[in-house]
Amino acid sequence: MFKFASLLAFVTLASSVAAQAPIYGQCGGQGWSGATACAAGSVCTYSNDYYSQCLPGAASSTTAPASTVSVPTSTASGTSSAPSSTSTAAAGNPFEGYEIFASPYYAAEVAAAAANITDSTLAGKAASVANIPTFTWFDQVAKVPTLGTYLANATALQTSSGSKQIVPIVVYDLPDRDCAASASNGEFSIADNGEANYKDYIDQLVAQIKQYPDVRVVAVIEPDSLANLVTNLSVEKCANAQTTYLACVNYAIEQLATVNVYMYLDAGHAGWLGWPANLSPAATLFTQVYQNAGSSPFVRGLATNVANYNALVAASPDPITQGNPNYDESLYINALAPVIHSAGFPAQFIVDQGRAGVQNIRAAWGDWCNVKGAGFGTQPTTDTGDSLIDAIVWVKPGGECDGTSNSSSPRYDPHCSLSDATIPAPEAGTWFQTYFETLVSAANPAL
Ligand code: BGC
């Protein structure tokens, strides 16, 4: 079982001073009329035209776009400063023997949310979520310097506690990101220097990680991207992005391997690549990606169900899965594994169960946006009951939104106003208090 590392040093739930937004609160964006100054220890940081957020530290300016953030160490050519990997990957499950480091970023979001709940029983349960280790998403380059802070904290905790720390991150900043949907469009575009910008983003991650060799880092690589290349090449944006996605993911893998990051490529979920006709094309693509990056042992395998709602083992098939024999993540993984292993990629798996506590809540299997009635699911553990599965993890930080229901937003996706979506919803990645409260009260197992 994982234990967890709790670190709430950043939580400044300060009695809110008038006209000051709290850490992780909104402090700007079109139509925003609230506070634009941030609580002590945080700085208003541009996220997109609709949202600026108070982030810890004193880096970056209030309005500068992400691209102005400087690279911490020189990475002029993109590959020059990356060391060649001198270490070999440890054999076996990279989570075994490690505590997953609980992100101070998510812990602070959760602590602020719990403080807004008046019902004390619910507030207590909500506050406990801060201690459950959840992946930190690097969804924009401006956030990369904070990784250094987390790695420094994890290193200090490892020294003081004697428990080895593994820091879980999501690499998520491809140009023309989220090519088959709209809600998570990112900051980089292929037409505007996207590949070079992405490589710079990866170089910045590598530069941070290189400074903290004593803690282990595990990464989920680019949710949805390769799965979209398996099934969504009929979408023009995906077809146009194919070459760039492959080049960027290859670069990410090769560079992150040089600093010993254990990687799981995102592999969609049972209701996506788990359909029998998709298994073999998926195995072929993932194996090509793995082999093109030198079959690095740091590419441990695949991550499934990221930000989705499927059970690991469903008691019975949800009616919406009708026709798919692989109606839960365990069935999907056990169907894909033999195909991908024989293709030449000895993949192991991790499975997101962060929001999978309640089943049979969707009107259609393809519904993914802020699905109503979802609850936190099985907590992170290496006790998975399946030798193919290294760990059950929480990848999507429960309470961060999947996408806005505001149809006038440039990132509006109609999935976010379906009858089974929670409405009104803010922009993807920003805090969604109502949704968080439901996840807490519907948690299964209960918090
Ligand atoms: C959003 C990201 C966010 C991630 C985790 C995605 O849907 O686009 O901005 O970091 O979810 O909440």
Side-chain angles (χ1 to χ4, degrees), residues 149 212 224 319 345 364 368 443 447:
T149 310
Y212 301 95
D224 296 348
F345 181 6
W368 49 265
L447 291 164

Side-chain angles (χ1 to χ4, degrees), residues 137 139 143 172 177 183-184 396-397 400-402 411 428-429:
W137 293 55
D139 59 339
K143 287 187 183 166
Y172 191 56
R177 195 173 72 192
S184 287
K396 173 75 186 183
E400 291 185 7
C401 191
D402 294 320
R411 300 207 305 169

